[in-house]
Amino acid sequence: MPQLYVALATPFTSPHGPPDLAAIGPHVRWLEAQGVNGIVPCGTTGEGPSLSLSERKAVIDTCLSERGGLNVIAGTGCANLPETIAATRYAIERGVEAAMVLPPFFFKSLSDDGLTSYYRAVCDALPNGSKIVLYHIPPVSQIPITTGVIDGLLASHPDMIYGLKDSGGDAEYTALLIKRYPSMKIYTGGAPLFTRAIADGAAGGIFAIANIFPRELRAIRDGGPDAAEAQAKAIQITNIFKHYGAVSAIKALMPRLDLPASSCRSPLVNMSDTEADALLASIEALKH
C-alpha cells in the first residue's frame, strides 16, 4: 500500500523564539491516531532552513522519542556541505528510516557534476546502510534534481539512494521517475497529484496539508469509495493555502482545530486573527 507521510510543521514559541519541543508530541500522537504512516520533520513545511544545526538535532530527537509506531524521515539538507553532513549523519545515527537531503540552495544554475559531487560527498561521510531521499523542489530551491544526477548517484552509491520526494508539481516528471528508477521509492509532494501518483506506482506522498487534514489524504491512500471526493477536497485545500502561504495557514488553523498552537519563525509571518478566521471559513465552506 502507498505510504502517507506528514511534512511535519515545527512549532515555535514566537517569531524569534526557539522551537516549542513540548508541542511536537501531542501533534505527532494525534497524527498517528489518524492513520498516517510517518512524519518528515525539518523539511520545507518544518522550516528546516530556518533552524540552527543544534535546533534541528533537537527537533529530530523529539520526533524520534514521540514517534510511537510512525516512520521518521528527517530533513537534513543545509546550504553548505559540512552542516548537511553533520545533520544527516546525526539523523541516521539516531535511528531515522532515511534522511531527506535538499540540494545546497544558495548557488543557482548548478551543473549536474557539481550537484552529483555534493551528494556523493554526503554519502561518503555516512555509515554503511544509510538511506538518502533526494528532495526535488525546484519551485523553492531553484535547483532541480535531474535524471543525470540520479543516474550518477545510482552508479556510485546504489544502496544509499533510497528514494526521491518530487515537489516539482509536474505529474509527468513524477511518472518518468517512477518508471525509470524502479529501485527507488518515489514520493509525490503535491497533494493534488496523489491519486495520479499512486496510479503511476508511487511509493506514497509527503504532504504539508496532512498536518491538519490527514483523514482526507488517508482516504486517497486507501482508495476506497471516498477517495475521489477526498482528492477533490485536497485540491481545494491546497488552492486555498496558496493564497495564504502553507506554513502560515497550517499554524493559523491548528489551534482552531484543537491542535497545539505555535508560531512561524521569521522571516515567515503569522496570520492575523481576522485572516485566520477567513481561512477557517473558507475551509468550512468546503463541507457544504
Side-chain angles (χ1 to χ4, degrees):
M1 176 182 289
Q3 300 288 289
L4 170 58
Y5 281 84
V6 181
L8 193 70
T10 301
F12 293 95
T13 59
S14 70
H16 305 138
D20 186 359
L21 301 178
I24 293 175
H27 187 199
V28 171
R29 286 191 290 273
W30 179 80
L31 290 168
E32 183 178 17
Q34 303 308 308
V36 306
N37 300 107
I39 54 175
V40 182
C42 305
T44 303
T45 307
E47 299 172 77
S50 293
L51 294 166
S52 71
L53 183 57
S54 62
E55 289 174 334
R56 195 183 294 240
K57 290 178 178 180
V59 170
I60 292 170
D61 282 342
T62 302
C63 288
L64 287 171
S65 68
E66 300 286 354
R67 68 191 298 178
L70 296 178
N71 295 327
V72 179
I73 298 175
T76 60
C78 303
N80 64 79
L81 181 59
E83 288 187 347
T84 297
I85 289 173
T88 305
R89 189 176 183 95
Y90 184 86
I92 294 291
E93 291 178 344
R94 297 294 287 183
V96 301
E97 272 65 47
M100 185 177 74
V101 183
L102 183 73
F105 46 82
F106 182 80
F107 295 105
K108 312 305 182 188
S109 302
L110 296 181
S111 67
D112 281 1
D113 287 346
L115 190 54
T116 303
S117 175
Y118 180 91
Y119 277 116
R120 282 174 173 164
V122 174
C123 290
D124 287 342
L126 300 178
N128 291 335
S130 300
K131 297 177 181 178
I132 295 296
V133 174
L134 306 173
Y135 191 8
H136 175 73
I137 183 170
V140 177
S141 69
Q142 298 183 41
I143 300 170
I145 297 179
T146 66
T147 56
V149 170
I150 300 170
D151 290 345
L153 294 174
L154 288 177
S156 60
H157 297 84
D159 296 331
M160 284 190 172
I161 307 305
Y162 178 73
L164 180 144
K165 179 186 178 184
D166 184 1
S167 293
D170 181 353
E172 296 300 328
Y173 189 62
T174 306
L176 181 153
L177 295 175
I178 293 167
K179 184 176 181 179
R180 184 181 177 108
Y181 302 110
S183 67
M184 293 172 57
K185 294 183 180 296
I186 307 299
Y187 301 94
T188 180
L193 305 176
F194 197 18
T195 298
R196 163 71 190 273
I198 291 172
D200 287 335
I206 304 170
F207 306 118
I209 69 169
N211 278 280
I212 46 180
F213 300 105
R215 282 170 285 189
E216 285 76 9
L217 280 303
R218 186 187 67 197
I220 300 169
R221 178 201 65 189
D222 295 347
D226 298 329
E229 181 181 351
Q231 180 63 84
K233 186 173 180 181
I235 293 170
Q236 292 173 309
I237 293 168
T238 301
N239 289 336
I240 291 170
F241 275 23
K242 286 179 181 178
H243 178 71
Y244 295 96
V247 177
S248 298
I250 289 166
K251 292 188 172 181
L253 286 178
M254 285 180 68
R256 285 165 168 78
L257 300 173
D258 297 322
L259 292 169
S262 74
S263 173
C264 299
R265 170 169 275 183
S266 183
L268 298 185
V269 178
N270 293 317
M271 292 170 58
S272 68
D273 288 341
T274 300
E275 290 173 323
D277 289 342
L279 169 60
L280 181 60
S282 297
I283 296 297
E284 290 289 337
L286 298 180
K287 298 178 180 179
H288 304 295

